Amino acid sequence: MFVASSTAALVGLSIAAAAGILTGSGSLGFLIGSCLGFVGGSVHYYRMCLGQALASLDEHPRLMQLHLAYNFPWFGYQHMRAHQLRSEYFRAGSFARHGNLIAAWQSASASLDEIHDRKTSLILEAIIKGEASRGIVDKDEEE
């Protein structure tokens, strides 16, 4: 919620400064501006998390299903079929389903990071082997 808090402070101070210039007092401007900034920052953070969770669902549906089932066993996510583990299905769902997906994405973040780290190391290894076969990388640099 750092995004929402910092947005609240920035918008609140900006509106307080404008209100102070116009009316001589910026306290009401700060109150209104910080509330608007917090709501705007929270909505932005929610949308970004939802987008990343939907992308992770499309990229790793079984992992996301596992975390959905672990976090919310009473909703029956463990019984979902493969065609239901798509972003289109969750995007059309309710606000509560979006929240469940975001929570599962956050609990799966360590696993997702590990998957991406392994993919990165495989790609880097292939690049280094390709450069070594063309003679671009010296043998001393590989070690």
Side-chain angles (χ1 to χ4, degrees), residues 21-41:
I21 292 170
L22 295 175
T23 64
S25 173
S27 59
L28 186 59
F30 179 77
L31 178 68
I32 293 170
S34 62
C35 289
L36 291 175
F38 187 81
V39 169

Side-chain angles (χ1 to χ4, degrees), residues 25-137:
S25 173
S27 59
L28 186 59
F30 179 77
L31 178 68
I32 293 170
S34 62
C35 289
L36 291 175
F38 187 81
V39 169
S42 297
V43 168
H44 174 72
Y45 181 73
Y46 168 78
R47 286 182 178 172
M48 296 303 294
C49 287
L50 181 61
Q52 290 176 344
L54 289 169
S56 294
L57 181 66
D58 283 338
E59 192 173 346
H60 308 287
R62 304 302 292 174
L63 177 65
M64 295 301 292
Q65 182 182 22
L66 177 70
H67 282 272
L68 281 165
Y70 279 165
N71 291 324
F72 307 101
W74 53 91
F75 286 132
Y77 287 117
Q78 61 271 22
H79 304 296
M80 291 182 81
R81 304 214 190 295
H83 74 278
Q84 294 174 313
L85 294 169
R86 306 299 311 158
S87 61
E88 297 83 24
Y89 179 79
F90 273 84
R91 187 175 285 121
S94 66
F95 183 73
R97 184 165 286 202
H98 291 172
N100 292 349
L101 182 63
I102 290 170
W105 168 71
Q106 288 177 341
S107 72
S109 65
S111 300
L112 292 168
D113 289 344
E114 184 178 342
I115 290 169
H116 291 128
D117 289 345
R118 288 184 183 185
K119 283 182 179 180
T120 301
S121 69
L122 288 174
I123 291 169
L124 289 175
E125 197 173 296
I127 290 171
I128 290 172
K129 284 181 181 178
E131 288 178 351
S133 68
R134 290 181 291 181
I136 296 173
V137 176

